[in-house]
């Protein structure tokens, strides 16, 4: 026979052991999810706070439009244009490379104002608005991270992802997958009215598009024309692979001028 106090202590020890086990699992994951992060999970600027953060994290986002704000991998392609300028200049116009370099820095600076704008919109118009800043792992890494954090499935139309032509050309020449290339300055946003949200973002000078929808379950579907597939857990970021294979200096990583 055990007293109620002894059983209570055993339950607390068991819960603590389970919590430590989960922390070890999370520390080994690609994205290192941290329980203390706010629901909006912003990676840049001051994170907006959700009054019912725990409840918000568990609340399903199924049925909402999925919006992407910002051009995919633009900041990384700008860094690549600078890092591999001599190589790329043999195939691409020098003026295009210079514009890409400057456009990348301008885009990141402009996008730094978007979290505050989204926070105001959440407070005034759309309380359930949720967003995630992209970074390491690119769009595919961000989609996986989003599905884990928001506990939702999704269907994404790859052809709807906002991307500039120079990013495609630079990545093709350097044999880089732009979908797995880090995308600082971009956001994935869950909204009840994606079209209206995109209009507001464009008024702020931010390119945006509805790229799909969130769904019940755990299916992570990627559609490209008639082809359909499921997203597997992304591995190494293409930027890291590129630098490693070319033995580049780590200090040059996305260095801003």
């Amino acid at each position: 026979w055990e007293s109620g106090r002894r059983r209570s202590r055993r339950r607390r020890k068991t819960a603590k052991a389970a919590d430590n086990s989960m922390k070890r699992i999370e520390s080994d994951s690609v994205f290192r999810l941290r329980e203390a992060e706010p629901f909006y999970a912003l990676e840049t600027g001051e994170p907006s706070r959700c009054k019912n953060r725990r409840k918000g994290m568990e609340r399903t986002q199924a049925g909402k439009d999925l919006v992407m704000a910002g051009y995919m991998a633009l900041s990384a392609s700008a860094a690549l244009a600078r890092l591999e300028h001599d190589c790329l200049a043999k195939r691409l116009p020098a003026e295009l490379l210079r514009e890409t370099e400057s456009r990348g820095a301008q885009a990141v600076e402009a996008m730094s104002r978007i979290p505050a704008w989204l926070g105001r919109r959440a407070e005034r118009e759309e309380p359930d608005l949720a967003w995630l800043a992209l970074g390491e792992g690119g769009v595919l890494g961000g989609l996986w991270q989003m599905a884990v954090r928001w506990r939702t499935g999704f269907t994404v139309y790859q052809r709807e992802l906002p991307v500039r032509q120079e990013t495609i050309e630079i990545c093709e020449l350097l044999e880089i997958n732009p979908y797995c290339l880090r995308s600082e300055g971009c956001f994935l946003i869950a909204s009840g009215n994606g079209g209206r949200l995109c209009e507001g973002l464009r008024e702020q000078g931010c390119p945006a598009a509805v790229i799909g929808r969130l769904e019940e379950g755990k299916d992570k579907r990627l559609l490209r024309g008639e082809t359909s597939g499921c997203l597997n857990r992304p591995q190494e970021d293409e930027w890291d692979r590129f630098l490693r294979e070319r033995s580049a200096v780590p200090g040059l990583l996305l260095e801003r001028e």
Side-chain angles (χ1 to χ4, degrees):
W1 178 83
E2 290 181 318
S3 67
R5 182 176 297 177
R6 177 182 259 176
R7 288 197 299 270
S8 178
R9 282 200 301 268
R10 291 186 61 185
R11 283 196 296 268
R12 286 198 298 269
K13 289 178 66 176
T14 302
K16 185 176 181 180
D19 183 59
N20 290 335
S21 176
M22 283 303 298
K23 288 181 179 178
R24 285 195 296 273
I25 293 172
E26 290 176 351
S27 66
D28 292 336
S29 68
V30 174
F31 301 106
R32 291 176 173 78
L33 306 182
R34 293 183 294 279
E35 188 177 359
E37 289 184 352
F39 172 52
Y40 292 132
L42 299 181
E43 303 293 342
T44 58
E46 289 297 324
S48 297
R49 299 296 177 181
C50 181
K51 292 182 179 179
N52 299 313
R53 181 167 59 86
R54 291 291 177 203
K55 182 179 178 181
M57 292 183 71
E58 298 173 357
R59 182 173 55 244
T60 178
Q61 300 290 325
K64 289 190 175 182
D65 292 332
L66 181 59
V67 172
M68 179 171 169
Y71 287 117
M72 178 179 72
L74 180 57
S75 58
S77 61
L80 289 170
R82 179 169 57 252
L83 190 63
E84 294 290 334
H85 185 276
D86 294 340
C87 175
L88 293 171
K90 298 177 182 178
R91 302 286 299 275
L92 298 175
E95 181 64 26
L96 175 65
L97 295 177
R98 286 193 293 270
E99 290 179 358
T100 301
E101 293 179 31
S102 61
R103 187 177 290 118
Q106 294 170 2
V108 171
E109 181 180 357
M111 293 298 290
S112 66
R113 299 189 293 269
I114 296 303
W117 182 84
L118 289 171
R120 292 192 297 270
R121 186 180 183 88
E123 292 176 358
R124 300 171 184 174
E125 300 181 37
E126 199 170 351
D128 291 338
L129 190 70
W131 63 90
L132 179 75
L134 298 184
E136 184 178 352
V139 173
L140 296 188
L143 286 170
W144 182 277
Q145 187 179 17
M146 175 200 72
V148 171
R149 291 189 178 186
W150 296 350
R151 304 175 186 179
T152 183
F154 60 78
T155 295
V156 165
Y157 303 91
Q158 285 188 249
R159 292 181 177 176
E160 300 300 323
L161 296 172
V163 59
R164 294 193 65 87
Q165 182 61 31
E166 56 263 34
T167 295
I168 299 297
E169 294 183 14
I170 289 172
C171 289
E172 183 177 355
L173 290 173
L174 297 177
E175 299 181 351
I176 290 175
N177 181 354
Y179 297 101
C180 297
L181 182 60
R182 58 192 310 156
S183 298
E184 280 86 350
C186 296
F187 297 88
L188 294 175
I189 310 168
S191 171
N193 190 331
R196 184 176 177 183
L197 176 64
C198 288
E199 292 178 1
L201 287 167
R202 294 187 193 111
E203 291 175 358
Q204 299 299 313
C206 170
V210 178
I211 63 171
R213 62 182 179 276
L214 303 181
E215 298 178 344
E216 293 282 2
K218 298 181 179 180
D219 290 343
K220 306 171 183 65
R221 301 176 62 215
L222 297 174
L223 303 181
R224 185 171 184 176
E226 300 295 328
T227 305
S228 174
C230 292
L231 175 65
N232 295 320
R233 185 178 189 129
Q235 300 301 316
E236 184 179 25
D237 187 285
E238 284 288 276
W239 176 267
D240 297 331
R241 180 193 62 78
F242 173 81
L243 289 186
R244 186 184 68 255
E245 291 182 356
R246 286 160 175 75
S247 299
V249 180
L252 291 177
L253 185 64
L254 291 181
E255 175 185 345
R256 292 188 186 180
E257 293 183 346

